[in-house]
Amino acid sequence: MSESDFINRWAEQASDRLNPILVKETRQALKSKQFLATFAIMLLGGWLISAFVLMSMIGANDESPIGKNVFPWYFTLLSFTVMLVVPFGAFRSLLAERDLNTYELLNITTLSPQQIVWGKWLSAQVQTFIYFSAISPFVAFTYLLRGVDFPTLIFVLLALMFASMLVALMSLTFSTFARQRQAQVVLSLVLLGQLVWIMGASITTGTLLVSRNSIDFSDPAVYWGGLVIGTYYVALFVLCLQIARAQLTFESDNRSTGIRLSGSAIFWLTIGWLSIGFHQGYFGGTSPSTNLATEPIYSTLSVLAVFWGAVCVFAATETETLSRRVRGQLPKNPLVRLIAVPFLPGGGRGMLLAVGHLAALIGLAFLVQRSLHGPDRVHAMNFTSAVSCYIIIYAGLAAVMGRWLRSATPLFRPAQTRAFAIVMFAVMWMVPNIFTILRGSGRTTNELLYLTDPVHSLVRVSGGGPWAGKIMMALSIAASLVVLLNLRTMLRGLAEVVLLREPPPDVPEVIPDIEPVSSDMRRGVMLDSAVAPEPSTTS
Amino acid sequence: MTEETTTTATLDPPPPPEVAPTIELHHLHRFFGNLKAVNDVSFRVHPGEVMGFIGPNGAGKTTTMRILATLDVPTAGDAFVGGYSVVDKPDDVRRILGFMPDSFGKYQNVNVIEYLDFFARAYGFRGAARRDAIERVLEFTELGKLAEKPIDTLSKGMSQRLGLGRTLIHDPQVLVLDEPAAGLDPRARVELRELIQLLATELNKTVLISSHILTELSEICNSAAIIEAGQILASGSRDAIMKGHRRIGPEGTTALEVRVAENVEKLQRWLLEQPRISAVRIAERHARFEFAGNEADQAQLLKSMIEAGIDVIAFHGRAESLEDVFMAVTKGITQ
């Protein structure tokens, strides 16, 4: 066997272990004019910049380091390819499957949605790797020109690579929503704008870090910061992957559990980092601090509230009944099923997810409050409770509205309910403020009239003024009422999983009763290529 | 594959109903808003059967086929492929079903062998199994000579062959082919028809095929389902459908056609005088009628006709076609 035969055989054996989409797209990329043109432009740009620098150095008496001045050019070139060309290519890659009528061919193979997403993402990463390999010699050249700190240089390049990986996955996730031609055009423009912005931000940040050598690697805060960013990076990566997977998953399959679990992980990650930060800030010194630094807590909780509110609205507006397929995959142990309830598809179970997490958050805030001194502890507790009430109210109202709309017409799907809910919340938010503007005599003294404006009410609650208690009371009553409105659905959702009780459909009966399928028919005939029975595992 | 084998391939009648069906649609419904694209569709296809799925544009053929291929979910009802529900077990259905949609999806910068290689990998074939699968498909579709050719340069006929090859790459027991002959020239159509016949006769595949070209379907199908406005109007073996929807003639008669050189009125008068002849229909220089008698009686009828001075230039039996049945049962309803 010749050496080339051996290499070919080895390559083929290795390719058997790779994702089929990665193999196919790498083959395509190597023949693609777009890839070759981008690569050529990048190399040409690198050579031109180098030639220009060398020419400017010839005959110059100034021996000051110029690495800092040259680095931004190479970095811009690299950022353009890995933060704009590659992510947009990943976005287009999935859209092209729909345009070329190949997506359905891909969909009916035995490739799982996860494999499709991974394959597309890995193909983008192969290109990123090639571009990085091409630009590395030029970056090394900037180090030789002096003035650039080597660890900072490596850090910035690594950060860019990881950022590119995440942005490529986000772009891919974005493309799973673009099914119609009009949506594709709109989303392409939106994404392009976002990518240009992200590219600009990464160029600015990278250049600043290198030019100022501003990272002190001996400072432990750098590693703590890196750890915080790293954990969120992984969590966000998994969430994007789960969203993309859900978008490509068959309708009767479980499209919710992955997103719920990832959302929950980010929720608890935030609470965990908040707790560590709070502990370090409050008890980190020799004696406990008398003042609680509430701003970082309020800011973090506000960001968490927006995120968790979105997760809860998504979960609470799903259709209620589990599909036959998901029901068949439920764990056999009732206790495991009980634990799994909030993470299984269904609006009622979505409300259980929302209420369960927020009750735990309020409980945690209560425990923290007991260990503190000073007035801020009460305000922080109230703020946490008020934020939780708002999430319950919004998610619960969206769930009620979704059920009502589905009962009015079966055409209403969860995605439309969510869009309706967002519009409804925006209107609720704006109404008291528009009323104030129309009155023309400033704000009314009754703060309860602004209850539908969460920003206004949360500022009042966190400030601890005379209206804080009344606002808290009103929010608590409203949240309780919304929970009561959803209680029946929540209990049905619980019973469906724990007691395996099938709830009535939440859409009107539009089709006459169909006689159930006999077991004989379902068993049918097993063909030669018999498939192993699907294991009954948790979703 | 030789010319002899392709031309001599004939289809057996469909298996008896007691054989478990490979495809079974059970009160399938698919609504898009107020549009009832598929409305209570039920039929069965048995192993080795080639069923023609016939209907006008917008009748619900493609929607039904997409549900079978697990690309869509029914609003109500269910469909089973090899005993697996398309709703509950789509992954298992995909392993045993090959679907050829009406539009052929072409990747750019990919040649024939790379295209098949990708789908073989996507169906989980590795190493020698993958190479064997590609070899088998190239041989069956006779695309070996074009293995290195970019697929976007293939003719329509060759593209359809490649599409069929892709459908067969994982050796599925069930094939669902949506308008495979659309847009093909006559030669490519005949070649594709022969390939499909081979699939049923030699490889014992179960085939559900839709087409607008009914004469062609009638040559390769041993059963049919006629759909209009989302509802099945007739389904079963081809003979049963023909029998069930004859427009003329009582039970036990044979449809005959006689062409004369001139004076068709004389033929009509003579036919109407004969005892065992009914449902006489006269057209330009030929007559169609039902005759109650065996082949010997038909020979005697021809002899009498000539003796009566009628200038017969053609005398033959006339089988009712799928097209006739289709025209009889459909009402031209569009949704």
Side-chain angles (χ1 to χ4, degrees), chain A residues 301-302 305 358 361 382-392 458:
Chain A
L301 282 177
S302 300
L358 294 170
L361 177 65
N382 281 349
F383 185 86
T384 309
S385 304
V387 161
S388 303
C389 286
Y390 270 115
I391 296 173
I392 298 284
L458 288 172

Side-chain angles (χ1 to χ4, degrees), chain B residues 43-335:
Chain B
F43 62 79
R44 293 171 168 202
V45 193
H46 293 88
E49 192 174 331
V50 180
M51 175 175 267
F53 198 31
I54 309 164
N57 287 332
K61 300 188 297 290
T62 299
T63 306
T64 307
M65 288 180 145
R66 283 173 57 81
I67 291 172
L68 277 172
T70 72
L71 287 170
D72 199 357
V73 281
T75 310
D78 207 340
F80 299 86
V81 178
Y84 298 114
S85 157
V86 296
V87 180
D88 296 341
K89 303 272 182 189
D91 297 340
D92 295 331
V93 170
R94 286 169 190 181
R95 277 176 215 165
I96 58 169
L97 181 134
F99 176 56
M100 187 171 168
D102 54 354
S103 58
F104 176 70
K106 288 180 180 178
Y107 284 115
Q108 288 166 339
N109 302 314
V110 168
N111 65 30
V112 168
I113 205 153
E114 286 170 345
Y115 184 79
L116 293 173
D117 178 85
F118 167 61
F119 282 102
R121 287 171 191 270
Y123 277 104
F125 287 87
R126 300 282 178 265
R130 175 165 47 81
R131 286 191 293 275
D132 290 347
I134 295 169
E135 195 63 35
R136 172 175 52 77
V137 165
L138 286 176
E139 191 184 345
F140 182 76
T141 54
E142 296 176 347
L143 284 170
K145 287 177 197 164
L146 304 175
E148 301 294 331
K149 196 167 182 188
I151 59 170
D152 44 8
T153 61
L154 291 178
S155 67
K156 177 82 181 167
M158 288 299 123
S159 294
Q160 287 300 78
R161 270 176 182 258
L162 181 59
L164 186 64
R166 179 199 58 72
T167 311
L168 292 168
I169 195 80
H170 58 303
D171 196 20
Q173 281 299 300
V174 183
L175 292 169
V176 175
L177 312 175
D178 190 7
E179 299 280 354
L184 295 186
D185 62 49
R187 171 172 285 277
R189 226 157 44 203
V190 169
E191 287 171 354
L192 188 72
R193 189 180 71 204
E194 287 170 356
L195 287 180
I196 294 167
Q197 276 179 322
L198 275 180
L199 288 170
T201 52
E202 293 198 353
L203 304 176
N204 199 35
K205 308 279 184 201
T206 306
V207 184
L208 179 68
I209 177 173
S210 74
S211 175
H212 280 122
I213 306 155
L214 300 183
T215 47
E216 201 162 86
L217 271 188
S218 64
E219 286 180 47
I220 55 173
C221 299
N222 45 20
S223 65
I226 301 176
I227 184 170
E228 187 176 41
Q231 290 186 304
I232 293 289
L233 303 177
S235 73
S237 74
R238 196 178 55 191
D239 294 341
I241 288 184
M242 302 280 197
K243 204 171 176 180
H245 293 88
R246 292 173 79 111
R247 286 178 296 171
I248 51 172
E251 190 74 20
T253 61
T254 309
L256 293 175
E257 185 171 322
V258 175
R259 183 172 284 274
V260 291
E262 54 185 18
N263 206 352
V264 73
E265 291 79 14
K266 183 180 177 184
L267 170 67
Q268 185 183 15
R269 280 197 301 276
W270 186 85
L271 287 171
L272 290 173
E273 287 166 6
Q274 305 309 308
R276 288 187 285 180
I277 286 175
S278 60
V280 178
R281 289 185 300 164
I282 297 294
E284 191 189 352
R285 293 206 297 164
H286 71 262
R288 290 173 180 175
F289 53 92
E290 291 293 312
F291 177 65
N294 58 22
E295 286 183 344
D297 298 330
Q298 286 178 30
Q300 186 58 46
L301 180 72
L302 176 60
K303 193 177 170 189
S304 310
M305 210 177 275
I306 291 165
E307 283 170 0
I310 295 165
D311 304 327
V312 178
I313 56 172
F315 180 97
H316 54 85
R318 198 183 75 84
E320 196 138 316
S321 68
L322 260 184
E323 206 161 44
D324 294 326
V325 177
F326 178 76
M327 293 306 290
V329 298
T330 57
K331 299 181 183 74
I333 300 169
T334 51
Q335 293 196 95

Side-chain angles (χ1 to χ4, degrees), chain A residues 54-74:
Chain A
L54 285 172
M55 282 167 69
S56 66
M57 285 172 74
I58 295 170
N61 293 325
D62 185 9
E63 290 188 2
S64 60
I66 57 166
K68 280 179 191 175
N69 304 334
V70 179
F71 176 80
W73 294 99
Y74 293 130

Side-chain angles (χ1 to χ4, degrees), chain A residues 195-422:
Chain A
L195 289 177
V196 168
W197 187 85
I198 292 171
M199 182 188 73
S202 69
I203 292 169
T204 311
T205 312
T207 306
L208 278 176
L209 287 173
V210 169
S211 63
R212 292 182 184 173
N213 288 335
S214 53
I215 305 173
D216 179 6
F217 287 99
S218 61
D219 184 359
V222 170
Y223 299 98
W224 275 109
L227 194 60
V228 172
I229 293 169
T231 50
Y232 274 105
Y233 180 92
V234 173
L236 201 56
F237 194 94
V238 173
L239 179 66
C240 285
L241 195 65
Q242 291 302 329
I243 294 172
R245 188 196 68 86
Q247 285 292 109
L248 302 182
T249 295
F250 195 57
E251 215 171 300
S252 68
D253 214 331
N254 187 344
R255 300 160 74 163
S256 187
T257 298
I259 296 174
R260 290 184 189 212
L261 283 171
S262 316
S264 177
I266 292 178
F267 180 90
W268 289 113
L269 183 68
T270 308
I271 300 299
W273 281 123
L274 195 64
S275 304
I276 291 171
F278 162 75
H279 186 269
Q280 288 296 106
Y282 200 74
F283 298 110
T286 47
S287 61
S289 170
T290 49
N291 291 320
L292 180 65
T294 50
E295 280 74 21
I297 295 176
Y298 291 164
S299 308
T300 311
L301 282 177
S302 300
V303 174
L304 178 65
V306 172
F307 169 76
W308 190 244
V311 172
C312 292
V313 169
F314 156 81
T317 49
E318 285 186 335
T319 47
E320 297 304 330
T321 321
L322 285 177
S323 70
R324 289 202 312 252
R325 187 160 204 231
V326 177
R327 207 175 300 135
Q329 293 171 342
L330 289 176
K332 291 202 165 40
N333 187 329
L335 191 65
V336 181
R337 287 206 298 275
L338 180 67
I339 296 166
V341 164
F343 300 102
L344 289 169
R349 286 175 288 273
M351 277 305 290
L352 284 171
L353 178 84
V355 172
H357 278 68
L358 294 170
L361 177 65
I362 293 170
L364 202 64
F366 180 73
L367 287 176
V368 170
Q369 184 211 5
R370 286 176 63 115
S371 64
L372 298 179
H373 307 283
D376 282 338
R377 65 186 189 128
V378 180
H379 302 160
M381 173 69 203
N382 281 349
F383 185 86
T384 309
S385 304
V387 161
S388 303
C389 286
Y390 270 115
I391 296 173
I392 298 284
I393 293 166
Y394 282 169
L397 285 179
V400 171
M401 191 177 70
R403 285 199 299 276
W404 177 73
L405 287 170
R406 283 198 298 275
S407 68
T409 165
L411 297 180
F412 244 89
R413 298 173 71 86
Q416 291 158 319
T417 308
R418 287 161 200 153
F420 247 67
I422 290 168

